[in-house]
Amino acid sequence: PSQAVSLAPDIKRYFGIGNATGLGMAPFLVCHPLLINQWIECRELALARVRARGSVDTSHLDALSKLLVRAQQHLCEISSNNEPQQVTNAQTASELGQLVERLDGYSESTWEGLLNVTTTQSMDTEEVLVSCLIELYPELVDDLADAMVTDESFDIRPEQSLAGFKSLLESKYDWALAIDFDNPESRRMFWYRSAEKMEPRLGEVSMDSGADRQMHVDIALQASELHEYVCEHLHRHPNDRVAHFLISLPILRYIVRRVQTMAQTGYGEIRANVLDVDIAPTELMRCKLSFFGASKFDPQSRLWVRNTMFQGAPILDDIQRGTINNHSSTNTDTVNERLDDWSFPIRPSL
């Protein structure tokens, strides 16, 4: 111990927690749509507050420019063997540089002009900008952290007319009804829990056994089949209510309750066919991981992804001091930063 080398604080902070996320996270999003809806609503509300009430002055412009430059360097430092992800990171880094140039001489009183620029750029660039804008106004958004939980129960309305329910289904689940489930490729995969670890797995109907014990995460298929049953019932009983329909087909109670509940929300339902041969679960994982503050998204296949958590977070000395002291070989002065300002960590230069 007396001969051990002490790590510099910048290096200590740069150690994060390496994480590998598999298929278990994807069904979580499907099974907890009201929670996911709440998370996204809070994020959209945060952005709405920034757009409506966030003043744009020199200090905010400088802070945003530093955040975008840091995010740009962060993306350039990510090491990934996944070629599509390499392309995405490079494109996003380049577009962030364009946004930084736009900030030079920016004179608008709101951020709308800058946000409009991202409509012609990649989705990743747009999301990075939104994240950075939210970071600028803690006084407007921090209270939303207390609103990230919700009641996840589905409510059923048996008194609703079946004709009205059919219209609701066709309006809110049009994305599911547009899928051609007569195509074998749209029903080629199935989800199940492994007997060894009780973790979700993805199987292929024509190759793997266990389809008879699959997880019921196929919301798009359930909605499509529900629509067929509703149409058939209405043909025979045009004046019936949801209660009459469920008395005749009680097995459909779950999907009816889900449709009636989720139709009242703006987000939460994964608008994808998770049984399709081309389903990419890693994109679902990325959605949830982003809310955990994970960074350096690195898909290893379409079934699992590597990422990093807590990289750049303050160490105990920082917390005791109340600031983060960053040193750089290009700047001999100590830069004091807020303890919560550690998004998009960059490699220390000593």
Side-chain angles (χ1 to χ4, degrees), residues 118-135:
T118 61
T119 60
T120 60
Q121 296 178 321
S122 66
M123 185 182 300
D124 286 67
T125 301
E126 183 177 14
E127 295 301 311
V128 169
L129 174 61
V130 169
S131 295
C132 291
L133 286 176
I134 292 174
E135 286 292 318

Side-chain angles (χ1 to χ4, degrees), residues 1 69 123 125 134 187 243 250 284 320 322:
V69 169
M123 185 182 300
T125 301
I134 292 174
R187 306 172 73 161
L284 303 184
Q320 183 178 15

Side-chain angles (χ1 to χ4, degrees), residues 183-192 202-212 214 221 274-277 302:
N183 183 351
E185 299 296 278
S186 67
R187 306 172 73 161
R188 186 166 159 183
M189 313 304 292
F190 70 94
W191 295 76
Y192 66 96
L202 194 60
E204 190 169 340
V205 174
S206 60
M207 298 176 58
D208 303 310
S209 60
D212 57 323
Q214 64 179 298
L221 177 59
V274 298
L275 305 182
D276 194 89
V277 65
R302 68 172 187 155

